[in-house]
Amino acid sequence: MPVAGESEIALIPLDEPGLARLLAAAVAEADPLEVMPPVDGPEGWTDHRREVFLAFHRRRSLDPETAIESTWVVEFDGATVGAARLRPVSADSALEVEAGVWLIRSIRGRGIGRRVAAVLLESARDGGAARFVATTTVDNTAAHRLLRGTGADLDVHGANVDARLEL
Ligand SMILES: CC(C)(COP(=O)(O)OP(=O)(O)OC[C@H]1O[C@@H](n2cnc3c(N)ncnc32)[C@H](O)[C@@H]1OP(=O)(O)O)[C@@H](O)C(=O)NCCC(=O)NCCS
């Protein structure tokens, strides 16, 4: 999925080679807690946590028997720099999609997250979704600004912030 008008960014549907590149990018330039759910054990990119990362994406995106979401590898100038995902969830009678994105540290703060969010929104609309939602933490200012920039309303619930945008 090329990003309109910005040829150097592309969102590529996740596959096994892409997953290997994604893990390498995460290990090199992201904290595990930024890119996957918490895993018990020593901090950092332990062998166990790397296996959990791979299993997480295989289960949720790659295995047709268990897949619940679509994940894309974010590429910038041909390099793997992060991931974006959309998970359809049913809410009320409308189709709602829950979104997530992470980027490697060295390219954050350059407007790439904003451009990736725009592609996710377009994809959600094209897929017939009526509502776009995302959750982050109260201390994640970049994520708040990114989400608010889409036009979403933000609600604080304890340590979390829920974003919601009617499409
Ligand atoms: C959140 C994340 C995807 C944002 O992507 P990004 O490319 O860094 O963001 P952008 O450069 O497009 O900026 C988006 C907005 O955040 C603001 N922003 C970016 N980095 C920021 C920082 N470190 N502190 C405060 N605001 C920041 C920008 O000014 C912009 O706001 P504006 O439109 O009001 O000017 C990225 O920082 C990231 O991968 N973080 C770790 C994983 C994560 O937290 N994911 C989000 C979970 S919902």
Side-chain angles (χ1 to χ4, degrees):
M1 198 175 358
V3 179
E6 305 282 1
S7 59
E8 74 272 31
I9 294 182
L11 268 62
I12 313 290
L14 186 69
D15 58 9
E16 276 293 336
L19 180 58
R21 296 197 307 277
L22 203 56
L23 175 61
V27 168
E29 283 204 65
D31 186 278
L33 284 175
E34 293 174 330
V35 305
M36 64 190 288
V39 174
D40 288 340
E43 289 183 7
W45 283 106
T46 58
D47 288 347
H48 175 56
R49 204 166 269 118
R50 294 174 196 221
E51 284 305 320
V52 172
F53 179 92
L54 295 172
F56 175 82
H57 285 296
R58 287 179 182 134
R59 185 177 69 252
R60 292 176 64 107
S61 297
L62 294 182
D63 182 346
E65 299 287 317
T66 58
I68 56 165
E69 65 187 358
S70 299
T71 300
W72 293 269
V73 174
V74 180
E75 294 201 342
F76 180 64
D77 279 348
T80 296
V81 297
R85 61 180 188 81
L86 284 178
R87 180 170 68 100
V89 287
S90 51
D92 316 319
S93 57
L95 176 62
E96 184 171 290
V97 287
E98 191 252 331
V101 56
W102 64 263
L103 299 171
I104 59 172
R105 286 187 203 101
S106 58
I107 61 143
R108 293 179 194 166
R110 292 163 57 177
I112 294 169
R114 190 182 314 127
R115 288 157 60 186
V116 171
V119 179
L120 287 181
L121 274 173
E122 192 181 318
S123 176
R125 284 196 182 96
D126 287 350
R131 189 176 302 132
F132 183 88
V133 298
T135 299
T136 184
T137 51
V138 286
D139 56 354
N140 195 339
T141 309
H144 302 171
R145 291 181 68 152
L146 178 69
L147 290 165
R148 209 182 292 282
T150 66
D153 292 321
L154 270 54
D155 275 324
V156 178
H157 295 286
N160 290 330
V161 176
D162 292 335
R164 174 184 164 117
L165 176 68
E166 303 299 329
L167 297 174

